[in-house]
Structures are given as C-alpha cells and as structure tokens.
Amino acid sequence: MEQELKNFIKVWFSAIISVSYCYYLSTRIKPGVLRLISVLPVIALFLLLPLFFSSVHFSGASAFFFTWLANFKLILFSFDKGPLDPLPQSLPRFIFFTCFPIKPQQNSKSQNQIPKWVFAIKVVIFGVLLHVYDYKQHLSPTMLLILYSLHIYLELEILLMLVKVWVFIFLGCDLEPQSNEPYLATSLQDFWGRRWNLMVPAILRPAVYNPVQRIAKGKMSSDHARFLAVLATFLVSGAVHELIFYYINREVPTGEVALFFVLQGVCTAAEVAVKKRKFVRRWKMSPIVSRLLTVGFVVLTSGWLFFPSLIRGGMFVRLPNEALLFIDFVKHKVFTFGSCFVDVCVFCL
C-alpha cells in the first residue's frame, strides 16, 4: 500500500506539471493541428501513467481520469471545444477540470441533485456488499451478476462523489452531478445519454458523435447518419474500455468489451429509430416495466460480455480485498496519529 501511495504522488506530480504546460504554453498556440501537436507529448504520457500502479483501484482510476477523459479533453481543447472551452480562468481550475471527471454547474438550480441521505444509504450498502464476498461461493450465477453490477455502480458513485467534494473544498464552485440514478432509466438512450457516468457522453458527444454525424449527413439520410454516429460513439467507448481493462488485468484484450458496447450502440440506435414510428409514439409503456427492461438488458448483457474478462483477471477478488485493506490502512494511520497526539498532550501537561 505504501509503495502504491508513493507511485500515486509521483503520477499526480507528473500530471500536474504536464497540464500546467498545456495551460501556459499550448494556449498561446492558435487552435488547430499545431496546438494538438503541442499536447501530444502529454497525451502520450497519460497513456503510460496507469502502468505505474498494480492495484485495481489506482490503475483503473488513473486510466479513467487520465488516459480516457483527460486525453479526450485535451484533444478537444486543441480545437477550442469540449469541457475546457471556454478556458478556465486560473491554473488550478484548468488542472482540476482536466484531470477529474467534473464540469462546473451551468444552472444554479440543478434538477439532478440527489439528497444526501440517498448517498449515505449507498455507502452503507457498499459496506455490506464488501462482506458479502465472503459468502460468494454460496451465491447463484444470477446473484453474482447482481453483486458485480452493484459493486461497479456503487464504487464508481462513491469515488465520483468524493472527487466532487474534494474539488468543491479546493475550488468552492458547484459541479454538475456525475450520474443521475441510472437504475431509474426508462430506455437505453436515457441510461447511456442522461444517467450513467454523465462526463463520458459530455465528452464523446463533441469528440465523436457530432463530427461523425456532420460528415455522414452529406452522404446519407439524417436517420442513417444518426445511426452511424451512435454506433461510432459506442465503438470508441468500447475501444477505450478495452484499454482500461488492459491496465487493470495486464492481459491482451479479447474484444468482448468492445462487442458489448457495439451491441449497446446498435440497440440504442434501433430504439431511437423505433420510437419515431407513429404507432410506437401512441403506445406508452409503464415506467416500472420500462425500467426493469432497460436495467435488466444492461445487466444481462454485462454478464455475457462485460464482466467475463474482469472475472478471469481476478478483479472481483482483488476489488473487495483492496477496499478492506485501504480501510484498515486508514484506521491504522488514524489510530497512530491519535496515539501520538495524546502522548504529545500528556507530555505538554
């Protein structure tokens, strides 16, 4: 754990220096290919940073923060697009908005704010879930699939909330929610576009979807162009997930994860096309039924294509072990600090 923390400090020091270079030098270059060339060394470095870690949490988080989101943000920044446009007013803001999956809140009253007690319940459920792994040999394949899905969702939710709180403490600005209760999604379009991991669609939309749709519109109908743009967006997402899974498992990608996202893209595009039919618009499905169908489809296809490579790589063995180890590490440090503080107080008295 201590070696991982040392690597953590080195990685973040390298990231901060690199992003500072982009802020002070690259911004002085006219938007376009030349600015993109100037940030390419940083993009290459961010592809290497996850390799400095051996733990699932640090390698996965650094791959998500740097290799995926930060690199895409810098590519868009090269053309004055994306979350970094307009340019943040100060270096600290530029660093935070580049390196973390966050963006400033646009509306003073966000419709997606979740009550604090809901988050508290999620933390409690996550704590219970970590101990359920001790009995996973007694669970059926269906229950294991639900367990793995809950784990991914809750851990990502807690991680992003901690990042949001930390950034708020340092910058003092309100941030957009990172997710919007994906288990309430009533369609695949709702799930992937408006509820799950909202920073990702906010980046993929200007980076992939809009350019592909704009180019394709000149050569085919608008419906076909939209279908191609959706498919391209999910394909890019799948390719990046394959890369993230490589950082976690250190095994050659199998293509299963990319196929999972291609399947989601095809089904999402087909869903959008079907919804435009007149007879479908007249027929309204119960929200409960649509939620069950949507979440059930995502969970079942995840068990088929998304989770197998992670299971083979032992991620769901390492994840709870690392979480419990980190909790014990924090407890030990807090206890040691508390003991030293008491000893100092006694000595002073």
Side-chain angles (χ1 to χ4, degrees):
M1 177 60 74
E2 291 185 359
Q3 183 59 43
E4 284 289 278
L5 291 177
K6 290 179 181 177
N7 291 338
F8 178 83
I9 294 172
K10 293 176 182 177
V11 163
W12 272 100
F13 179 78
S14 301
I16 291 172
I17 295 298
S18 301
V19 175
S20 300
Y21 152 79
C22 294
Y23 182 78
Y24 284 117
L25 295 181
S26 297
T27 52
R28 287 163 171 74
I29 301 174
K30 186 179 178 180
V33 176
L34 289 180
R35 183 186 288 185
L36 176 62
I37 292 174
S38 72
V39 302
L40 283 179
V42 177
I43 292 173
L45 174 64
F46 283 2
L47 288 170
L48 299 176
L49 291 183
L51 297 174
F52 285 86
F53 299 111
S54 59
S55 67
V56 173
H57 288 88
F58 282 154
S59 58
S62 60
F64 178 51
F65 288 0
F66 299 126
T67 305
W68 187 357
L69 298 184
N71 273 351
F72 271 78
K73 289 178 184 178
L74 290 175
I75 292 171
L76 290 169
F77 157 76
S78 300
F79 300 94
D80 273 353
K81 297 182 182 296
L84 298 178
D85 180 51
L87 185 72
Q89 298 176 351
S90 64
L91 175 61
R93 282 177 174 261
F94 186 81
I95 292 173
F96 275 98
F97 291 138
T98 301
C99 295
F100 290 110
I102 58 172
K103 60 179 180 177
Q105 187 170 302
Q106 303 297 324
N107 301 318
S108 57
K109 294 183 179 180
S110 176
Q111 301 295 322
N112 297 331
Q113 293 295 341
I114 306 302
K116 293 181 176 61
W117 62 267
V118 174
F119 178 74
I121 292 175
K122 292 178 182 179
V123 173
V124 172
I125 294 174
F126 181 70
V128 173
L129 183 144
L130 289 177
H131 294 284
V132 172
Y133 278 96
D134 295 334
Y135 309 95
K136 73 174 187 177
Q137 65 272 18
H138 304 297
L139 299 178
S140 66
T142 303
M143 290 303 298
L144 281 175
L145 180 57
I146 294 173
L147 176 69
Y148 296 154
S149 301
L150 271 175
H151 191 142
I152 293 293
Y153 165 63
L154 291 173
E155 183 146 336
L156 184 61
E157 187 88 348
I158 292 170
L159 172 64
L160 294 178
M161 179 58 71
L162 292 176
V163 167
K164 182 177 179 180
V165 171
W166 192 60
V167 171
F168 178 79
I169 291 173
F170 275 85
L171 297 184
C173 63
D174 291 327
L175 303 173
E176 291 285 343
Q178 293 97 336
S179 68
N180 183 23
E181 308 305 303
Y183 52 85
L184 297 178
T186 56
S187 67
L188 290 175
Q189 184 184 22
D190 186 31
F191 182 91
W192 294 112
R194 294 187 287 269
R195 291 189 178 274
W196 175 255
N197 205 356
L198 298 176
M199 192 70 241
V200 172
I203 288 178
L204 290 179
R205 194 172 291 112
V208 182
Y209 180 86
N210 291 342
V212 171
Q213 186 182 35
R214 185 172 58 252
I215 294 171
K217 268 187 176 180
K219 300 179 181 180
M220 58 186 71
S221 67
S222 59
D223 288 341
H224 289 160
R226 188 180 301 108
F227 179 87
L228 184 62
V230 170
L231 191 60
T233 302
F234 277 91
L235 182 61
V236 170
S237 179
V240 177
H241 274 85
E242 289 281 7
L243 181 59
I244 292 175
F245 281 24
Y246 170 76
Y247 290 128
I248 294 174
N249 294 329
R250 306 296 162 88
E251 296 178 355
V252 178
T254 61
E256 292 170 301
V257 181
L259 183 58
F260 167 79
F261 282 97
V262 170
L263 176 63
Q264 299 298 317
V266 170
C267 293
T268 301
E271 177 191 83
V272 173
V274 169
K275 282 182 178 178
K276 290 188 173 184
R277 304 302 178 189
K278 290 183 179 179
F279 72 92
V280 174
R281 288 202 298 264
R282 295 171 186 169
W283 180 56
K284 290 189 177 181
M285 185 183 297
S286 166
I288 296 177
V289 175
S290 61
R291 284 166 184 162
L292 287 174
L293 290 175
T294 300
V295 177
F297 177 80
V298 174
V299 171
L300 288 176
T301 51
S302 296
W304 174 33
L305 294 169
F306 188 83
F307 290 134
S309 62
L310 296 177
I311 294 172
R312 289 194 300 268
M315 194 189 89
F316 288 106
V317 175
R318 296 158 61 195
L319 267 180
N321 291 340
E322 287 180 9
L324 294 172
L325 179 65
F326 179 75
I327 292 171
D328 290 339
F329 177 81
V330 173
K331 285 181 179 178
H332 175 72
K333 292 299 182 182
V334 170
F335 178 78
T336 303
F337 176 79
S339 299
C340 294
F341 181 75
V342 171
D343 291 341
V344 170
C345 292
V346 171
F347 177 79
C348 293
L349 293 175

